[in-house]
Structure formats: structure tokens, C-alpha cells
Amino acid sequence: MGRKAAFTMLFLLLIVNSTTASDAARLTLPSGMSNPLTIRYPELARAPAPVAIKEGLRATYEMVAGSPDITTEGNVAFVGGDTGAGLVQVTVVALDGEEAATWTEAFYPDPTTGGMKKVNFYGSVNPAGCGDFWCNPDVLRSIPERADEDLYVDRGKYELGGREYDVIRFSFQSQGISLIMIYDLNTGILLHHTADYTSTMPEEGGGIHSRGQHAIMRLSGLREVSIPWRDGTVPSWVQPGTTLLFQGQHYFWLPQLPDVAPTASPLDVELQIQKVHKRFFEGRQQPRTAEAVQLTYVPLVSGIAQLMGLWVPQEALSLPTGVVDSDPNTGMVVSVLYSGQDGLVMEETNNDNYMLTATYDSSGRIVQTVTERRSGTASAERDVLQLVM
């Protein structure tokens, strides 16, 4: 398994969890694993958001992912596998009462150009007091230390980026899953996170095959994304039970063979709106291709502080053209290409191997997307989707 494949498969494995009120209503961590803290400490779910948590706040984590392959036969163990490195970014796209909506994106560096290409994304809805990368620090400071078989809690010092923090550490063990979370006791921000998942199955001859996924994540950046509109509410066309169907084509070509025409195959994406709030909505995205094995659905949110989301407020239709936001960690630049009373066109690109163009109509609804991805100079693909209903 290659480095990118290990990183991508880990991220896909970790985000597939059971659902609750909606597909996005999941207590997640930056790894995608479910966060057990609000179950062990219900007061976190009832607490307000920390002072540091605001709409548009983005946390970036460096992630090292591995996929060891272990076979045990008697006393002999054979260990193999590969590792990969990437970035995970979690953005607070809406704070609405007692709930927080976040958008998580995973990036992997192109081995040829080094450009950080987006490889996965999903949305989550959490209690405002304990989200994907934070917990209320007042509650954290009141949690006693403990040492049990499944949960270990202690306090101490943690150094990150040349700075020392007073922290609380949680270590969970349960049914092949191991989680470690280290939070800053001053702000409540998650500084360090480790996630391990192991599964085993018997082999012919009496051996045991063990497959594991491992991720180590450290906070590398915290900043507020530049949101070009001041405020707004979810538009009236957004209603629970609404389904948006996008149809189009997936194109694949080899840039080194310019005389060879791209191959094309049909591509459909269905967006289901399950729950609507004042400042965001939640649901799921289900892509469908011509392949026999269909892609996994994606838990979805779209909020007021989300660039390249599924809607924009009316104020966005009068934005000037030009750069809106530039991310120093991934190199992604978001720009307005066109604005007018008939709609808006925005672009997100790293000017290397990834570009997304989104078109919105006069109601602020997304009606077309064009996504282009390249793998060095070896291959390229483009997805063109248009709203049909």
C-alpha cells in the first residue's frame, strides 16, 4: 500500500460511524473517530462554547498515518506496511445555539510537486461545549484524575511548537480502538490526538491476521478564515427532506499523451437535507458512479462561515472579484470570479494539482461544480456536475 493510499484509507475508515438524528450529528475528533468524552462527562455537552471558539475558526493538524500488516503464527510475527503524512483541517462553519457545525478536510502532498491536494471531507454537528477540536476548559479543569482499565486521566505539561502548555490527557481503550487526547487547560483546544484501530481474523492453518490503522495528529495552526460576508441565514429553499440531484461526467486523461482523448463516464451526486438550523443545515452526500462498487456516503453540513459551501447569503451576490482567503498551511486560495444579481462564481485552488469552481444562482443555491485533480504529471481527472432537480 502506498503512502497516499494508507492516509486515504485511514481517513475513510475512521469517518464511517453509526448515525444519530442525522448523518452529520456525530461526536467526532479530527481523526474522524467518535469522541467518547461527552458520554463519560455529560456536563461537557451542556457547557457553552469556549471563548476561543468562533465561527470561521480553523484548526490545522499534521497527521502521520500508518497501516501495519501483522501476521502471527505461534511465536513468530511478520510486520509490514507503509506510512503517509498529510494535513487535516477542521473549520467551525456555524455556531447555532447549543450546537456547533464543523467541516473537516484531509490533504495529502503530491509526491512529485508537493502540492497539498484535497483527498477527503465530511461534516459534523457537535455540542458547542465539546466539538471536534475543543472542549470547555472550565469543565476540563474540574475533571478528576483516574486510572481504570478503559480510561486513564492525568494532568501535566506538554510542549508544542516551542511552547509549554498545562494540559489534561485522556487515554481510552475499547474493543480494538485506542484514543489519546491532550487538551490545553487554558483554552480547551485539542493539542495532540492519537487514534488506533485494530481488527483481527483467523487464517487457514490456525494463524491470526491483524490489520491496524494508526494516526498521530498534532496541532500545527489555528486561524480565523476570512469570510467575505458579515452575516446571513439559511435560505428559504432549504427545507428538511429536500433532495438536490446533480448529474454530470467524470473525465480522466494522461497529460503526457495530449493526442489521446479523455475517457468519460457518467457521475451522479445526491444531496439530502435532513435537518435545518438558522445558520447551517445538515444531511448527507451520496455519489454514484458507473463502477460496480459505489462510493461511501459523506456526512454533510453547510454553514454561514463556510467558503465553497452549498449556499451563500444574498450579501455574497454583491462581492467584488478577487482573492477572499489564502490558507498558509495548504496553499489553497479562495477567490470570487464573478458576482451579480444573477449569481456568484467562486474558485478554490492551490495553483498546482487541485481546483474547485462553484456556481451559485440568484437565490444563493449551488447549481454547478467543476473539480479538477492532478497526480503529478502522470494523470488528471475532472468532475463536472450540474443541478438537475
Side-chain angles (χ1 to χ4, degrees), residues 281-350:
F281 68 78
E282 51 189 289
R284 72 151 65 185
Q285 173 177 311
Q286 178 65 68
R288 296 185 175 87
T289 69
E291 303 295 330
V293 178
Q294 294 302 308
L295 300 174
T296 304
Y297 74 85
V298 178
L300 192 68
V301 299
S302 190
I304 184 64
Q306 185 169 357
L307 299 177
M308 312 302 291
L310 300 179
W311 64 280
V312 294
Q314 285 293 309
E315 184 181 346
L317 303 184
S318 59
L319 290 174
T321 58
V323 173
V324 169
D325 184 74
S326 181
D327 189 89
N329 297 285
T330 63
M332 290 289 177
V333 177
V334 177
S335 304
V336 173
L337 302 184
Y338 169 81
S339 64
Q341 291 306 307
D342 57 338
L344 176 74
V345 180
M346 298 187 71
E347 177 188 80
E348 180 184 35
T349 180
N350 61 5

Side-chain angles (χ1 to χ4, degrees), residues 69-113:
D69 197 359
I70 305 171
T71 302
T72 303
E73 297 174 0
N75 296 322
V76 181
F78 303 92
V79 182
D82 209 342
T83 59
L87 295 177
V88 175
Q89 291 189 326
V90 189
T91 305
V92 183
V93 298
L95 290 173
D96 201 328
E98 298 179 350
E99 293 182 296
T102 57
W103 187 245
T104 299
E105 299 174 307
F107 299 84
Y108 188 83
D110 188 286
T112 302
T113 66

Side-chain angles (χ1 to χ4, degrees), residues 120-256:
N120 277 301
F121 53 82
Y122 68 92
S124 296
V125 179
N126 294 285
C130 189
D132 299 64
F133 64 91
W134 73 87
C135 282
N136 183 287
D138 294 330
V139 177
L140 290 179
R141 287 191 288 267
S142 70
I143 293 175
E145 296 187 4
R146 60 184 293 179
D148 297 332
E149 290 185 0
D150 64 337
L151 172 59
Y152 182 87
V153 183
D154 67 344
R155 288 173 169 79
K157 301 289 185 179
Y158 181 77
E159 186 174 339
L160 180 67
R163 177 181 172 186
E164 189 175 71
Y165 295 85
D166 292 317
V167 300
I168 184 170
R169 180 179 64 174
F170 299 90
S171 178
F172 288 88
Q173 301 278 343
S174 177
Q175 300 179 347
I177 296 176
S178 175
L179 301 175
I180 295 176
M181 293 94 75
I182 300 177
Y183 291 90
D184 175 20
L185 282 171
N186 181 41
T187 64
I189 299 295
L190 180 67
L191 303 176
H192 176 104
H193 172 42
T194 300
D196 295 279
Y197 175 83
T198 304
S199 60
T200 59
M201 63 184 67
E203 292 183 324
E204 294 182 6
I208 296 176
H209 184 94
S210 177
R211 186 70 173 174
Q213 301 288 340
H214 177 69
I216 300 174
M217 312 181 74
R218 298 183 182 92
L219 182 69
S220 64
L222 197 65
R223 74 178 187 94
E224 290 188 31
V225 177
S226 299
I227 306 300
W229 43 83
R230 290 186 299 274
D231 205 353
T233 57
V234 173
S236 59
W237 59 266
V238 177
Q239 297 293 329
T242 298
T243 296
L244 304 179
L245 179 61
F246 292 80
Q247 293 182 339
Q249 297 286 319
H250 171 77
Y251 299 93
F252 177 85
W253 71 96
L254 303 174
Q256 294 178 327

Side-chain angles (χ1 to χ4, degrees), residues 20-38:
T20 51
S22 79
D23 289 293
R26 301 154 57 252
L27 304 175
T28 60
L29 292 159
S31 62
M33 295 292 280
S34 295
N35 190 344
L37 279 181
T38 52

Side-chain angles (χ1 to χ4, degrees), residues 96 234-235 238-241 273-278 280-282:
D96 201 328
V234 173
V238 177
Q239 297 293 329
I273 299 174
Q274 297 171 320
K275 194 172 182 180
V276 180
H277 307 260
K278 181 180 179 181
F280 72 97
F281 68 78
E282 51 189 289

